[in-house]
């Protein structure tokens, strides 16, 4: 075998591997609340327990349907979360998408979903490539374009006719939403209203579909 053919044989497996290997998509779910912060009351339940149940169900469905996807939840039952702990965790993990989840009781006739991304109204600031140039409260500028695009995609999916009869979607809104401060990755906050404590089940498939749609663009 010639030297050229020898190196060609070595190259072919590497080339095939490069074509079939797809880096995993990482999603981080951040359910509001912790062991000290109970959140809002919804019937005889607390927001912190509902957000965690919701995040766990989202994770289960996403990982079952998408083998290429890794889904992590930022807290476990009984854990205490300290200021900026979630942002530090997210910045180490470098997820492709970070979603903060909130629920509140709905007294009206139709539930609502609000979509947020972090901003001080400084979205016009030119993006730079050095992370060291961003103070923690401007970390959102690093993924500004992706965050805006993902928020719009999420809203478009949730506004489909099939879901329109279930809830009204608002946003995406740009505001200094505290749970998203300091996060470099594309980060979205969602706030969902429910009439009964078990109504969160109705919002599982809509959010799963929106995440799957966004990640198709990442791939």
């Amino acid at each position: 075998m010639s030297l050229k053919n020898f190196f060609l044989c070595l190259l072919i497996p590497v080339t095939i591997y490069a074509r079939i290997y797809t880096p995993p998509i990482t999603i981080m779910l951040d359910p509001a609340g912790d062991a000290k912060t109970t959140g809002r009351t919804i019937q005889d339940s607390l927001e912190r327990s509902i957000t965690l149940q919701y995040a766990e169900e989202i994770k289960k469905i996403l990982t079952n349907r998408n083998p290429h996807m890794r889904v992590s939840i930022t807290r476990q039952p009984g854990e205490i979360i300290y200021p900026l702990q979630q942002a530090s965790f997210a910045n180490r993990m470098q997820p492709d998408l970070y979603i903060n989840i909130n629920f509140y009781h709905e007294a009206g006739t139709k539930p609502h979903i609000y979509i947020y991304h972090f901003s001080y109204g400084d979205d016009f600031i030119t993006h730079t490539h050095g992370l060291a140039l961003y103070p923690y409260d401007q970390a959102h500028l690093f993924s500004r374009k992706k965050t805006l695009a993902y928020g719009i995609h999420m809203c478009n999916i949730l506004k489909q006719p099939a879901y329109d009869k279930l809830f009204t979607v608002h946003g995406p809104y740009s505001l200094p939403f505290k749970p998203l401060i300091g996060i470099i990755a594309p980060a979205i906050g969602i706030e969902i209203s429910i009439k009964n404590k078990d109504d969160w089940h109705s919002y599982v498939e809509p959010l799963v579909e929106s995440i799957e749609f966004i990640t198709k663009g990442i791939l």
Side-chain angles (χ1 to χ4, degrees):
M1 179 185 293
S2 69
L3 187 61
K4 178 180 179 181
N5 289 335
F6 174 74
F7 282 109
L8 183 60
C9 290
L10 293 178
L11 180 61
I12 288 174
V14 175
T15 304
I16 293 174
Y17 176 78
R19 288 179 178 176
I20 64 174
Y21 176 72
T22 302
I25 297 295
T26 302
I27 306 297
M28 186 171 287
L29 303 176
D30 177 32
D34 64 7
K36 284 189 174 181
T37 306
T38 61
R40 291 164 285 196
T41 301
I42 302 172
Q43 291 186 309
D44 59 349
S45 189
L46 298 172
E47 183 182 12
R48 70 179 177 191
S49 63
I50 295 175
T51 57
L52 186 57
Q53 291 177 75
Y54 184 69
E56 289 172 342
E57 187 67 15
I58 294 289
K59 176 180 178 178
K60 182 176 73 174
I61 295 176
L62 282 174
T63 52
N64 286 342
R65 291 189 350 195
N66 305 275
H68 64 284
M69 191 177 292
R70 294 176 182 172
V71 182
S72 63
I73 299 176
T74 59
R75 69 174 175 89
Q76 301 299 319
E79 186 176 1
I80 297 175
I81 305 300
Y82 297 96
L84 296 177
Q85 178 178 323
Q86 307 299 48
S88 178
F89 181 29
N91 293 341
R92 290 197 307 271
M93 293 287 292
Q94 299 181 349
D96 295 284
L97 177 62
Y98 181 102
I99 301 177
N100 170 260
I101 300 167
N102 305 267
F103 280 95
Y104 68 95
H105 181 256
E106 174 61 58
T109 57
K110 190 177 182 182
H112 300 267
I113 296 181
Y114 293 87
I115 310 295
Y116 310 119
H117 63 82
F118 193 91
S119 175
Y120 284 125
D122 51 4
D123 293 341
F124 63 89
I125 295 178
T126 303
H127 167 74
T128 60
H129 297 286
L131 289 179
L133 298 178
Y134 289 101
Y136 82 96
D137 60 346
Q138 292 183 355
H140 60 283
L141 294 173
F142 187 77
S143 299
R144 177 190 60 189
K145 291 183 179 179
K146 284 185 178 180
T147 302
L148 292 173
Y150 294 172
I152 292 171
H153 290 327
M154 180 175 287
C155 282
N156 288 340
I157 292 298
L158 297 176
K159 288 179 179 179
Q160 293 180 100
Y163 299 140
D164 183 62
K165 60 184 179 182
L166 300 177
F167 46 73
T168 300
V169 180
H170 307 271
Y173 295 122
S174 301
L175 71 165
F177 189 59
K178 187 176 180 179
L180 303 182
I181 192 169
I183 298 173
I184 295 170
I188 295 173
I190 63 171
E191 193 167 30
I192 303 172
S193 70
I194 53 178
K195 291 182 176 295
N196 302 300
K197 63 181 182 181
D198 294 323
D199 288 351
W200 62 264
H201 293 278
S202 301
Y203 297 89
V204 171
E205 183 56 33
L207 188 61
V208 166
E209 184 180 352
S210 67
I211 293 172
E212 289 176 334
F213 182 84
I214 290 171
T215 56
K216 285 179 183 178
I218 297 173
L219 292 173

